[in-house]
């Protein structure tokens, strides 16, 4: 008995469907790409029950004749290729000639289509891969595909997608987003169970990204652009500060097609080396253009894996392009050993100050066995500092005298712990080393209080804390105060709310709206009064009373939403993260131009904090002034 048999055409198509179409999202992807190949300027997608019951794609493309509508469902029918060489020169999407045949083999399909100039269109019906009917009808120009009961005739495959509508809907949205991101000049619409999710108008790339991802990313995008004889790379990368652990904002496109590449992802992440914490991912939207015959998109049936003829070279160019973009922002140093395009650096004026490393010196008379030797690890003697109007005893300059001029220059506006060499005492002729300052980091059960205090330029204050002179970073102090007050309010039942005269209307993405609804209790505990109106729309009726009225409400909410961890984080950690975000927003720009009474009131609240030494992000709030070292420099 013969063992080898030719499979029936329907069975072969059903097997092929397992490679090309294994979920409703693949149907959406294939149909959308076919619509773009047809020259559509408007593509509308609707699905029900996760795409299992219905997928509908309507476009205004060129449409098909009755003959083409029938042939389109035959396996290997295509208008894109006529020889094997054409496969390696493709600039269109639907070239395989398998997608429609595979979809029709495992579902019930209706196609309504009409060409420009034809009086009537055609209705073609396929069920389970078998042709049912073809009738003339009246319809709009373009094509309308209706796919019903996906995998109804393949129970073994249907069972893998039954009862998982949320995941299936998420996959469809992802495929829709991928196509929409690389076709910004086309109008797209996505509906779930006939309810609108996305309605995207033709625009530029940056605006399309903002429309899809959300307004939070608008100020976080940095332009990437490089053009060589091998490849052209355009797009955007996120600022290092916006990198996060759970980040799904990574997209790569080649010649208008989404693809995945772990090697390219690693190249981009390497460009952020030492700029982002381990485990965090930056956002990126990279558009690569190469000659069609230098890339093979036919590697995988779903066409998400591609091969580049110049793979290694493109990786190097990509990493260099991203690194250069980051360098332009000052995030990383940019080294250029050529004279071309050199920057003209002006001569330093007398009124300008610069930061510099402390000068190294050698004490030739140093003897650790001398009787006057002081152990550097021993505690410093308690040198009393009684204020700014102490009598001048000749040992140190009277602080109230106009000369010598002492200015403490810190100047950073972000919460990273500065290196010791970046904290300097600057005078006309004197430059003290980092030994003059020490961060106040000790924690003890002894309650310390602030005594004398005075504001300094740049958002700082000098004060007496526990008998020691300290410089206080006022914005970080405010952050610490707000953080602990908000956290206590959340755990005690909720922060106070300030009712607004006029509600503020905000529009969120689907993911943002879903996260806000899921964490509605936490937002209420923060002091927000929010009305969830559906379809991504919310009305903010009340704001936290702890925040300054000038705090932009929309930026605050978008920042809070994107600080939420989508994993299974304990409630205490989630509350801490939200309180941290609230504190940062509430203290933004705080500290400059304060009066002495304002500083005293702030420090009074700070000393009551559980941990007054550090901001919520771990940056030091206070630095102790070592007056002994200052005096030595002035001798």
């Amino acid at each position: 008995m013969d063992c080898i048999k030719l499979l029936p055409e329907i069975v072969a198509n059903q097997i092929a469907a397992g490679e090309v179409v294994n979920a409703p999202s693949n149907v959406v992807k294939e149909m959308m790409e076919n619509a773009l190949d047809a020259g559509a300027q408007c593509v509308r997608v609707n699905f029900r029950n996760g795409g299992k019951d219905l997928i509908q794609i309507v476009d205004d493309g060129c449409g098909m004749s009755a003959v083409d509508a029938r042939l389109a469902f035959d396996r290997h029918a295509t208008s894109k290729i006529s020889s094997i060489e054409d496969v390696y020169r493709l600039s269109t999407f639907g070239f395989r000639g398998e997608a429609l045949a595979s979809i029709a083999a495992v579902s019930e399909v209706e196609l309504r289509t009409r060409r420009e100039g034809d009086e009537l269109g055609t209705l073609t019906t396929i069920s389970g891969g078998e042709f049912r009917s073809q009738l003339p009808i009246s319809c709009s120009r373009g094509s309308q595909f209706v796919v019903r009961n996906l995998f109804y005739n393949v129970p073994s495959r249907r069972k893998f997608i039954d009862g998982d509508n949320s995941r299936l809907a998420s996959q469809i949205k992802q495929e829709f987003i991928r196509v929409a991101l690389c076709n910004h000049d086309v109008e797209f619409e996505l509906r779930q169970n006939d309810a609108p999710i996305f309605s995207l108008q033709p625009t530029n790339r940056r605006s399309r990204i903002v429309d899809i991802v959300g307004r939070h990313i608008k100020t976080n995008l940095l332009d990437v652009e490089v053009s060589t004889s091998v490849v052209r790379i355009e797009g955007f990368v996120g600022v290092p500060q916006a990198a996060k652990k759970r980040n799904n904002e990574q997209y790569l496109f080649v010649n208008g097609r989404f693809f995945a590449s772990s090697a390219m992802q690693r190249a981009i992440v390497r460009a952020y080396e030492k700029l982002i914490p381990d485990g965090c991912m930056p956002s990126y939207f990279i558009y690569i253009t190469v000659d069609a015959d230098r890339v093979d998109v036919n590697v995988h049936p779903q066409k998400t894996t591609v091969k580049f003829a110049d793979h290694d070279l493109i990786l190097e160019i990509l990493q260099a392009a991203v690194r250069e973009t980051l360098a332009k922002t000052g995030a990383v140093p940019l080294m250029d050993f050529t004279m071309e395009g050199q920057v003209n650096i002006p001569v330093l004026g007398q009124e300008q100050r610069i930061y510099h490393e402390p000068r190294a010196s050698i004490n030739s008379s140093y003897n650790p066995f001398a009787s006057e030797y002081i152990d550097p690890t021993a505690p410093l003697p308690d040198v009393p500092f009684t204020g700014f109007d102490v009598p001048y005893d000749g040992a140190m300059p009277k602080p109230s005298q106009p000369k010598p001029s002492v200015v403490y220059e810190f100047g950073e506006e972000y919460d990273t712990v500065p290196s010791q060499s970046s904290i300097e005492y600057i005078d006309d002729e004197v430059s003290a080393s980092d030994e003059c300052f020490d961060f106040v980091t000790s924690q003890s059960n002894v309650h310390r209080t602030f005594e004398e205090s005075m504001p300094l330029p740049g958002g700082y204050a000098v004060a007496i804390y526990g008998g020691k002179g300290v410089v206080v970073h006022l914005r970080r102090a405010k952050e610490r105060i707000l953080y602990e007050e908000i956290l206590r309010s959340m755990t005690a039942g909720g922060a106070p709310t300030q009712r607004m005269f006029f509600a503020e209307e905000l529009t969120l993405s689907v993911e943002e709206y879903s996260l806000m609804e899921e964490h509605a209790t936490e937002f209420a505990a923060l002091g927000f009064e929010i009305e969830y109106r559906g379809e991504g729309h919310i009305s903010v009726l009340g704001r936290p009373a702890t925040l300054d009225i000038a705090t932009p409400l929309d930026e605050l909410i978008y920042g809070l939403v994107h600080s939420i961890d989508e994993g299974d984080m304990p409630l205490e950690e989630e509350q801490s993260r939200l309180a941290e975000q609230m504190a940062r927003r509430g203290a933004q720009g705080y500290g400059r131009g304060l009066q002495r009474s304002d500083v005293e009131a702030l420090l009074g609240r700070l000393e009551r904090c559980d941990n007054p030494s550090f901001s919520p992000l771990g940056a030091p709030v206070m630095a102790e002034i070592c007056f002994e070292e200052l005096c030595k420099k002035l001798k």
Side-chain angles (χ1 to χ4, degrees):
M1 183 177 179
D2 295 335
C3 297
I4 307 299
K5 299 179 181 179
L6 288 176
L7 289 174
E9 185 70 13
I10 293 178
V11 176
N13 285 341
Q14 290 175 345
I15 294 174
E19 298 179 344
V20 181
V21 181
N22 54 26
S25 58
N26 301 131
V27 176
V28 172
K29 172 181 179 292
E30 296 288 348
M31 295 294 195
M32 290 182 69
E33 291 181 345
N34 283 344
L36 294 171
D37 281 344
Q41 291 301 303
C42 179
V43 181
R44 306 184 188 279
V45 181
N46 182 35
F47 66 94
R48 297 175 188 163
N49 195 22
K52 294 178 292 186
D53 291 349
L54 173 75
I55 298 175
Q56 184 178 24
I57 292 91
V58 181
D59 69 67
D60 63 351
C62 63
M64 289 180 275
S65 67
V67 174
D68 286 345
R70 174 65 183 86
L71 289 175
F73 292 97
D74 289 343
R75 196 178 183 193
H76 304 311
T78 178
S79 62
K80 311 293 167 46
I81 58 176
S82 57
S83 65
I84 188 62
E85 287 78 14
D86 293 337
V87 174
Y88 300 98
R89 295 194 295 266
L90 286 165
S91 59
T92 54
F93 299 108
F95 63 88
R96 285 178 164 275
E98 293 179 0
L100 286 181
S102 300
I103 293 168
V106 292
S107 63
E108 298 170 337
V109 179
E110 289 182 0
L111 167 61
R112 290 174 170 82
T113 183
R114 182 177 69 84
R115 297 180 300 181
E116 183 73 32
D118 289 351
E119 186 175 347
L120 292 175
T122 301
L123 170 60
T124 305
T125 305
I126 308 288
S127 181
E130 295 183 357
F131 175 78
R132 297 299 186 189
S133 64
Q134 190 173 54
L135 301 171
I137 61 167
S138 177
C139 62
S140 302
R141 179 180 66 88
S143 299
Q144 175 181 331
F145 283 91
V146 178
V147 180
R148 293 188 175 92
N149 301 324
L150 191 62
F151 299 131
Y152 80 99
N153 56 348
V154 190
S156 60
R157 188 166 297 157
R158 175 84 179 194
K159 70 180 181 180
F160 285 105
I161 64 173
D162 273 340
D164 199 3
N165 292 350
S166 177
R167 180 179 62 85
L168 296 177
S170 178
Q171 291 174 350
I172 289 176
K173 294 172 192 174
Q174 187 60 47
E175 291 294 352
F176 176 91
I177 287 171
R178 290 171 177 175
V179 175
L181 280 175
C182 57
N183 295 276
H184 57 83
D185 54 348
V186 177
E187 179 183 351
F188 290 98
E189 183 181 88
L190 178 65
R191 289 175 173 264
Q192 179 179 358
N193 300 325
D194 302 314
I197 300 176
F198 288 107
S199 183
L200 307 172
Q201 297 301 312
T203 184
N204 55 48
R205 275 181 182 162
R206 178 185 285 269
S207 297
R208 176 57 58 88
I209 292 171
V210 173
D211 290 342
I212 290 177
V213 178
R215 288 183 57 186
H216 72 279
I217 204 169
K218 186 174 183 178
T219 57
N220 293 338
L221 295 178
L222 304 174
D223 291 88
V224 176
E225 184 173 359
V226 63
S227 183
T228 70
S229 59
V230 175
V231 62
R232 178 172 178 80
I233 298 175
E234 302 170 281
F236 308 91
V237 295
V239 295
Q241 298 92 323
K244 48 186 180 289
K245 290 187 177 180
R246 294 184 178 272
N247 190 354
N248 57 358
E249 298 165 1
Q250 292 88 33
Y251 294 91
L252 293 169
F253 305 97
V254 57
N255 295 349
R257 181 194 308 275
F258 172 83
F259 74 101
S261 171
S262 58
M264 289 197 177
Q265 184 181 74
R266 288 194 297 270
I268 294 173
V269 172
R270 280 197 297 269
Y272 284 80
E273 188 177 8
K274 297 182 180 179
L275 298 178
I276 59 177
D278 292 339
C280 289
M281 284 294 297
S283 302
Y284 57 79
F285 305 82
I286 301 297
Y287 300 81
I288 298 173
T289 304
V290 296
D291 291 339
D293 58 355
R294 303 295 292 174
V295 58
D296 183 5
V297 298
N298 201 25
V299 176
H300 191 275
Q302 295 175 19
K303 294 171 280 186
T304 56
T305 302
V306 300
K307 279 188 177 180
F308 292 93
D310 306 296
H311 180 266
D312 292 342
L313 183 56
I314 291 175
L315 286 182
E316 294 179 8
I317 295 172
L318 174 61
Q319 182 177 339
V322 175
R323 194 73 173 173
E324 181 180 9
T325 294
L326 297 174
K328 290 178 181 177
T329 68
V332 294
L334 177 62
M335 298 181 66
D336 187 0
F337 294 99
T338 68
M339 298 300 292
E340 182 180 355
Q342 62 180 332
V343 179
N344 183 23
I345 303 176
V347 178
L348 181 67
Q350 291 184 351
E351 300 300 323
Q352 294 174 285
R353 290 189 177 93
I354 60 172
Y355 294 103
H356 52 83
E357 294 291 334
R359 291 172 294 180
S361 60
I362 300 176
N363 184 0
S364 58
S365 62
Y366 167 74
N367 182 1
F369 301 100
S371 58
E372 65 273 13
Y373 171 67
I374 301 176
D375 184 0
T377 62
L380 292 174
D382 190 2
V383 179
F385 178 59
T386 58
F388 294 94
D389 294 316
V390 295
Y392 178 59
D393 60 2
M396 61 180 292
K398 185 177 180 180
S400 59
Q401 290 178 336
K403 282 291 184 177
S405 173
V406 180
V407 180
Y408 298 99
E409 295 279 354
F410 291 81
E412 80 281 11
E413 286 300 322
Y414 46 87
D415 278 339
T416 56
V417 179
S419 64
Q420 293 286 339
S421 61
S422 68
I423 303 176
E424 301 199 12
Y425 164 83
I426 299 179
D427 194 13
D428 294 339
E429 298 179 356
V430 181
S431 178
S433 73
D434 56 327
E435 295 174 352
C436 298
F437 297 91
D438 186 21
F439 296 132
V440 179
T441 60
S442 62
Q443 299 295 314
S444 68
N445 295 327
V446 179
H447 179 67
R448 297 183 179 183
T449 60
F450 287 94
E451 298 171 21
E452 296 288 338
S453 63
M454 178 177 291
L456 294 176
Y460 298 88
V462 64
I464 311 277
Y465 182 63
K468 303 289 185 180
V470 296
V471 175
V472 183
H473 193 298
L474 297 177
R475 177 177 58 80
R476 292 179 183 170
K478 180 74 169 180
E479 285 184 11
R480 166 52 61 178
I481 294 166
L482 287 178
Y483 172 75
E484 294 197 10
E485 289 179 352
I486 293 169
L487 200 57
R488 280 195 295 267
S489 297
M490 292 181 71
T491 55
T497 300
Q498 179 180 349
R499 188 80 178 187
M500 300 165 61
F501 287 108
F502 301 100
E504 185 159 344
E505 310 293 333
L506 299 179
T507 301
L508 310 174
S509 67
V510 177
E511 290 76 11
E512 291 169 340
Y513 186 85
S514 177
L515 278 175
M516 281 204 69
E517 275 197 315
E518 185 179 345
H519 294 81
T521 303
E522 286 91 331
F523 275 91
L526 286 171
F528 288 99
E529 184 178 349
I530 297 174
E531 178 182 331
Y532 297 87
R533 297 166 48 202
E535 299 182 5
H537 300 290
I538 64 171
S539 296
V540 184
L541 307 176
R543 59 188 297 146
T546 54
L547 293 182
D548 190 286
I549 193 67
T551 304
L553 198 57
D554 55 347
E555 294 181 9
L556 173 61
I557 289 181
Y558 288 125
L560 289 172
V561 171
H562 288 276
S563 71
I564 296 174
D565 194 298
E566 298 183 45
D568 297 327
M569 178 177 286
L571 177 61
E572 294 78 8
E573 293 185 29
E574 197 70 75
Q575 290 177 336
S576 176
R577 177 174 293 193
L578 290 172
E580 173 190 299
Q581 284 289 325
M582 283 277 289
R584 290 181 63 190
R585 295 284 180 173
Q588 194 170 12
Y590 183 85
R592 299 179 184 272
L594 293 184
Q595 301 298 318
R596 186 167 185 173
S597 58
D598 300 326
V599 172
E600 290 175 350
L602 179 76
L603 298 183
R605 294 168 65 188
L606 178 65
E607 69 184 22
R608 293 191 293 271
C609 289
D610 294 334
N611 185 358
S613 299
F614 295 97
S615 75
L617 290 178
V621 172
M622 295 176 280
E624 183 179 336
I625 305 172
C626 178
F627 286 100
E628 284 189 335
E629 293 297 331
L630 285 176
C631 293
K632 289 179 182 179
K633 296 293 182 180
L634 295 171
K635 285 183 179 179

